[in-house]
């Protein structure tokens, strides 16, 4: 089970914040297929938000095929995100850690490295689309 | 689907003049409605008409297609209907006696969840707890439509949050429609999904909040190009310097002109812009048709 939280100053629509948090949890393996998402009542009792907002977020996740609603039982994770195998994931994690250390030794701070990484990501995925 | 609340040509005149004029709106069932407007805009009058505590001078108001007195509507007035000398348990007995459809289990469970002691005198509860008790009395009638007049007005931020959390849980469980008035827009952003704006006794805005927010945008660009925008789109607010114009326009589509930089509007900014310009309105078409053209400066 995951807990939702809200960044009220972010300007991101509340239902999208919930959608992003579920996807993030799926990518990190915190949510796995078969897990139940919190009920709308649980979420609104914690966050003081409109229940329709929670339902809207769950509908969006359902539309993307990530969860499925079973009437009377709840909403369940259907598939996960971040397709790589655990081994590949661990290797990439180690590679990136090494790279982050390298960058720090070369004098980059966190924001420098984030900007560099974002720019590399942009280039890589743009090539893929082209 | 029959609207949870529907007003047609609604007007109320007191001896001092019109408190509410020519108001037509329809709110779908299951919505949480924010009724917003400055003091004296007619919010309380509208709510009292909606629950049948006032009779309209003109027009009609119905809930679920029926006259409001017969439609399962509960009301919490601004001065909460509690007796300081009663215990919470005595208030419950009072509610049970007066209301045939009273759900005593619901009332007791709700108060237990909120950790409000039944034997405590109402006068010795905190403001937040008193609001929770008044809300419980309204909810235990199992209304299909719950109408709350400024339920958060005298509460500190923590109590406001607690009341809203309990209210939203109740909505999640029961699916009831809620209308509440407030003049603090920040309280409404995450809790309400339908917005009604009243100003000087007139309806200015009624609609789905996400659609309203997505249907407005802020444009910033060269002042000499502003009139061309204003010719094409309803402008709710504008600020001009000698070179730059900032416009809040109603448009679901981006403006294709590259000289204009645009960004999203937030709910509070949008509400304030409408309140500052009583001539602007954003209403669905059927309601528009019901408004008199001559006495209504329509900017669109």
């Amino acid at each position: 089970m995951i807990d939702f939280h809200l960044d009220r100053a972010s300007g991101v629509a509340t239902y999208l914040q919930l959608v992003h948090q579920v996807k993030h949890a799926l990518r990190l393996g915190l949510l796995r297929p078969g897990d139940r998402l919190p009920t709308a009542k649980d979420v609104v009792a914690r966050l003081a938000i409109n229940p329709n907002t929670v339902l809207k977020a769950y509908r969006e996740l359902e539309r993307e095929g990530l969860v499925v609603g079973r009437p009377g039982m709840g909403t369940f994770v259907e598939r996960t995100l971040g397709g790589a195998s655990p081994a590949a994931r661990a290797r990439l994690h180690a590679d990136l850690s090494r790279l982050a250390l390298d960058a720090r030794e070369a004098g980059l701070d966190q924001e420098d490295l984030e900007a560099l990484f974002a720019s590399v990501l942009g280039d890589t995925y743009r090539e893929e689309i082209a | 689907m029959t609207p949870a609340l529907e007003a047609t040509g609604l007007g109320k005149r007191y001896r001092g003049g019109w408190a509410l004029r020519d108001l037509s709106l329809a709110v779908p069932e299951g919505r949480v409605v924010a009724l917003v407007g400055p003091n004296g805009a007619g919010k309380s009058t509208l709510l009292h008409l909606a629950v049948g505590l006032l009779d309209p001078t003109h027009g009609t108001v119905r809930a679920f297609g029926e006259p409001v007195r017969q439609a399962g509507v509960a009301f919490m007035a601004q001065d909460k209907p509690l007796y300081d000398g009663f215990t919470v348990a005595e208030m419950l007995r009072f509610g049970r006696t007066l209301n045939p459809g009273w759900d005593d289990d619901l009332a007791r469970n709700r108060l237990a969840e909120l950790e409000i002691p039944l034997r405590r005198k109402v006068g010795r509860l905190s403001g937040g707890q008193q609001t929770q008790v008044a809300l419980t009395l309204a909810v235990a009638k199992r209304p299909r439509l719950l109408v709350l007049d400024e339920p958060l007005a005298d509460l500190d931020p923590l109590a406001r949050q607690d009341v809203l959390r309990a209210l939203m849980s109740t909505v999640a469980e029961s699916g009831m429609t809620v209308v509440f008035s407030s003049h603090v827009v920040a309280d409404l952003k995450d809790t309400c999904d339908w917005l009604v704006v009243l100003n000087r006794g007139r309806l200015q805005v009624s609609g789905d909040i996400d659609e309203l927010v997505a249907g407005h945008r802020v444009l910033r660009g060269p002042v000499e190009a502003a009139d061309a925008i204003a010719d094409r789109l309803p402008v709710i607010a504008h600020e001009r310097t000698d070179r730059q114009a900032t416009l809040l326009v109603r448009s679901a589509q981006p403006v294709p002109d590259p000289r204009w930089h645009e960004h999203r509007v937030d709910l509070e900014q949008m509400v304030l812009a409408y309140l500052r310009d009583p001539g602007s309105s954003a209403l669905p078409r059927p309601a528009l048709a019901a408004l008199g053209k001559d006495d209504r400066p329509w900017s669109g």
Side-chain angles (χ1 to χ4, degrees):
Chain A
M1 194 71 112
I2 57 165
D3 264 345
F4 291 111
H5 52 89
L6 279 191
D7 180 355
R8 289 179 203 268
S10 72
V12 178
T14 305
Y15 89 95
L16 272 182
Q17 292 193 36
L18 303 183
V19 167
H20 293 160
Q21 283 168 39
V22 169
K23 288 185 176 175
H24 193 70
L26 289 171
R27 289 204 167 88
L28 294 178
L30 297 172
L31 278 176
R32 295 190 200 90
D35 284 349
R36 193 168 70 97
L37 296 182
T39 63
K41 196 198 168 203
D42 291 340
V43 179
V44 306
R46 257 178 61 81
L47 299 181
I49 61 172
N50 187 304
N52 294 330
T53 306
V54 184
L55 299 179
K56 186 173 178 185
Y58 286 8
R59 269 203 307 278
E60 175 63 23
L61 290 163
E62 192 159 7
R63 204 181 56 75
E64 294 182 32
L66 297 172
V67 306
V68 61
R70 298 195 191 118
M73 296 175 70
T75 302
F76 294 84
V77 175
E78 185 75 356
R79 69 180 178 84
T80 192
L81 280 172
S85 70
R89 193 182 273 275
R91 182 172 54 76
L92 286 165
H93 189 279
D95 286 355
L96 282 173
S97 305
R98 243 189 326 275
L99 185 109
L101 284 175
D102 261 7
R104 195 166 69 187
E105 274 169 28
L108 275 71
D109 68 13
Q110 187 174 338
E111 284 182 19
D112 295 336
L113 182 58
E114 278 170 4
L116 186 61
F117 192 63
S119 127
V120 170
L121 273 185
D123 292 346
T124 308
Y125 287 90
R126 197 158 37 242
E127 278 165 26
E128 198 171 82
I129 294 164
Chain B
M1 206 170 69
T2 316
L5 185 67
E6 185 174 34
T8 314
L10 194 63
K12 178 69 190 175
R13 181 181 201 150
Y14 297 119
R15 257 171 311 195
W18 291 93
L20 202 65
R21 279 191 98 158
D22 210 5
L23 178 140
S24 295
L25 58 75
V27 175
E29 184 167 4
R31 295 301 191 133
V32 182
V33 182
L35 173 60
V36 182
N39 292 333
K43 300 192 297 285
S44 277
T45 300
L46 175 58
L47 295 184
H48 281 80
L49 289 166
V51 298
L53 287 173
L54 277 178
D55 288 321
T57 314
H58 277 310
T60 55
V61 57
R62 295 169 89 80
F64 308 100
E66 293 177 62
V68 289
R69 285 203 190 86
Q70 296 151 34
V73 181
F75 181 55
M76 188 171 99
Q78 199 170 345
D79 46 351
K80 287 152 195 105
L82 297 172
Y83 299 100
D84 284 354
F86 277 30
T87 64
V88 176
E90 283 164 344
M91 284 303 315
L92 290 189
R93 201 174 313 137
F94 191 65
R96 194 166 61 224
T97 317
L98 287 180
N99 297 284
W102 181 262
D103 188 334
D104 211 49
D105 289 341
L106 186 152
R108 283 168 190 276
N109 289 339
R110 200 170 188 280
L111 293 171
E113 268 176 40
L114 296 165
E115 298 177 355
I116 294 174
L118 293 179
R119 277 188 279 176
R120 177 103 18 114
K121 287 240 166 71
V122 168
R124 305 198 54 188
L125 297 172
S126 70
Q129 287 176 320
Q130 289 182 357
T131 302
Q132 297 280 27
V133 172
L135 206 50
T136 303
L137 293 175
V139 167
K141 296 174 191 166
R142 290 197 153 278
R144 293 174 73 192
L145 172 64
L146 176 63
V147 177
L148 311 167
D149 195 0
E150 298 274 358
L152 307 171
D154 47 0
L155 302 181
D156 64 64
L158 207 59
R160 294 163 106 87
Q161 189 78 356
D162 288 345
V163 169
L164 287 173
R165 286 209 319 239
L167 181 61
M168 290 303 112
S169 307
T170 306
V171 171
E173 273 174 332
S174 65
M176 69 184 169
T177 309
V178 179
V179 178
F180 71 89
S181 60
S182 176
H183 47 245
V184 184
V185 179
D187 286 336
L188 314 172
K189 191 177 144 300
D190 292 314
T191 45
C192 296
D193 53 20
W194 193 274
L195 176 71
V196 174
V197 177
L198 273 187
N199 204 0
R200 302 183 190 174
R202 302 270 191 177
L203 180 66
Q204 261 193 302
V205 177
S206 174
D208 177 274
I209 290 181
D210 287 347
E211 283 174 20
L212 283 166
V213 169
H216 288 77
R217 48 199 72 229
V218 176
L219 304 175
R220 193 162 292 135
V223 72
E224 63 273 14
D227 289 339
I229 296 282
D231 286 345
R232 286 197 297 130
L233 297 170
V235 175
I236 315 308
H238 58 92
E239 280 168 34
R240 293 177 192 215
T241 65
D242 52 344
R243 293 192 192 155
Q244 192 188 50
T246 306
L247 309 173
L248 173 63
V249 299
R250 189 165 78 252
S251 167
Q253 307 303 322
V255 171
D257 186 336
R259 288 175 300 173
W260 291 94
H261 177 75
E262 65 174 56
H263 59 91
R264 285 168 52 98
V265 66
D266 70 25
L267 178 63
E268 187 158 9
Q269 196 181 2
M270 187 185 78
V271 169
L272 290 175
Y274 274 99
L275 292 179
R276 282 208 189 93
D277 180 11
S280 297
S281 57
L283 301 168
R285 290 185 189 290
L288 259 183
L291 294 167
K293 264 191 190 139
D294 301 334
D295 55 17
R296 182 90 202 171
W298 165 246
S299 61

